[in-house]
Amino acid sequence: MILEKRNSWKNSKLTGHLGALITVICWGCSFIASKVLMEGASMTPVEVYVYRFTLAYFMMLAFTFREIRSKSWKDELQMALCGICSGTLYFLMENYALMYTSTGNVSLLSAISPIFIAILLAVIYKTHMRRSEILGSIVAFTGVALVIMSESISKGLGMEIHPVGDILAILCALSWAVYSIAIKRLIPIYNTLFLTRKLFFYGLITSLPLLFIQNEPLHLNVLVDFSNPVYLLNLLFLAVMCSSMAYLLWNESMKIIGPLATNNYLYIQPPVTMFAGCMLLGETIYPFGYVGCVLVLCGLIMADKVKK
C-alpha cells in the first residue's frame, strides 16, 4: 500500500510540474552564479561549463557506476546527440551569442525553444497543439519579452537587431529543442540517473578540447582559496543544484508530463533571473517586469488547464 502511494506520487502530474518549476528556479539563479565566476574570478565561459559539469558527472557516476553501457549503439549515439545538444552546443552558442548581441536579445530568442519543440513534435510524432497551448505560449512569450525589455521600454529605448548574435541565440533554442525531442524515446527505457550521467559525459568530452586550446590561463587556484570560498560555493551551486539535481528533475518531469509541458516552464526563467538579480545584485525591477511576470504565469495556466 505504501509502495503504491509512493509510485503514485512519483508519477503524478503535480510531481512533474513541481520538478520543472524547481529546475527553472535553479537555472534562473544560475546566471548570477556564472556571472560571479566569470567577472569575479575571471573564468572563461568554457571553464565555468567544464568545471561545473565535471563535478556533476562524478556525482552522477557515484550513483550509477555499476551501469556503464547503454542497451545498444543506437541508444548510445542518441545519448551522445542529447549530451552535445543540451551541453556543448547549447552553452557555447549562448555564450558566443552574448559576444555579438545584447543579453536581452539572447534571453528572448533562446526562450522560443518550446515553439521549436511543438513543431518537431508535430513533424516527428504527428502531434497537434491544442488552441489553449498555442494561446498560452503566445501569452507567456509576450510576458518574457516584457520582462527582458522592461528597462528598454521604461527608458524609451528600442530592441536592437544584431544578425550574427541573434541567429546564434535562435540556434541555441533549436539545439535545446532537438535534445528535448531526442531524449523522448530514451526516457521510458533508462533510469534517469544513468541517462543524465550519459548526457554530462558526452557534453564534457566534446567541450574539453575547447578548454585546452583557449589562450586564457586556468583559474583553479581561486577554487581552493578557502579564505575566500565565494567562488567555490558558486561553482558547487552550479554543479549540485543547477546541473545534477536540475537535469534529473527536468528529465523526470519530461517523463511524467511530456517535453512540451515541461519546456513551457522555461518561460519562467527570465522572471526568476530578474528577481534574483534584484535580491542578490541590487538590480532594478521596472513596472513592465511585473506585468510580464503576471503574463508568464497566466500563459502557463492557460496552456495547461484550459481545454477548449
Side-chain angles (χ1 to χ4, degrees), residues 9-223:
W9 164 250
K10 183 180 178 181
N11 296 313
S12 70
K13 286 191 174 183
L14 177 60
T15 305
H17 288 293
L18 187 61
L21 178 61
I22 293 172
T23 300
V24 294
I25 289 173
C26 289
W27 285 345
C29 296
S30 70
F31 289 100
I32 308 300
S34 296
K35 188 173 182 179
V36 169
L37 292 172
M38 287 189 287
E39 294 186 358
S42 300
M43 289 186 183
T44 64
V46 177
E47 260 192 291
V48 174
Y49 172 75
V50 170
Y51 297 162
R52 166 184 173 176
F53 281 91
T54 298
L55 288 175
Y57 172 75
F58 282 107
M59 281 188 277
M60 292 291 100
L61 186 62
F63 293 100
T64 59
F65 63 91
R66 295 181 185 275
E67 191 176 6
I68 301 299
R69 296 180 181 177
S70 59
K71 299 179 187 297
S72 68
W73 280 109
K74 179 183 177 182
D75 291 354
E76 196 73 30
L77 290 173
Q78 200 158 343
M79 289 176 190
L81 174 65
C82 292
I84 293 168
C85 288
S86 67
T88 309
L89 283 180
Y90 179 83
F91 283 97
L92 287 180
M93 285 193 290
E94 181 181 68
N95 289 329
Y96 279 108
L98 290 169
M99 296 173 61
Y100 296 103
T101 189
S102 66
T103 304
N105 285 24
V106 174
S107 299
L108 181 61
L109 294 171
S110 62
I112 66 175
S113 57
I115 298 172
F116 282 132
I117 290 169
I119 295 171
L120 290 175
L121 282 172
V123 172
I124 298 172
Y125 292 99
K126 310 301 181 184
T127 61
H128 299 282
M129 288 183 72
R130 293 181 286 116
R131 290 182 181 179
S132 61
E133 290 175 330
I134 296 172
L135 185 59
S137 294
I138 293 172
V139 172
F141 185 74
T142 302
V144 170
L146 283 177
V147 168
I148 293 168
M149 299 178 65
S150 59
E151 182 177 1
S152 299
I153 295 172
S154 299
K155 295 181 177 180
L157 303 175
M159 181 180 178
E160 296 183 358
I161 297 175
H162 304 280
V164 175
D166 293 343
I167 289 172
L168 283 172
I170 293 172
L171 291 175
C172 179
L174 180 59
S175 175
W176 187 264
V178 171
Y179 147 68
S180 301
I181 299 302
I183 204 171
K184 178 178 170 63
R185 186 185 67 84
L186 300 172
I187 284 176
I189 303 173
Y190 293 95
N191 178 278
T192 307
L193 277 168
F194 171 78
L195 194 54
T196 304
R197 192 202 79 204
K198 282 288 188 178
L199 302 189
F200 291 169
F201 173 75
Y202 285 112
L204 272 175
I205 62 172
T206 52
S207 61
L208 279 174
L210 300 172
L211 180 67
F212 296 136
I213 64 174
Q214 68 176 12
N215 295 322
E216 294 289 328
L218 301 181
H219 299 84
L220 286 168
N221 59 305
V222 301
L223 299 175

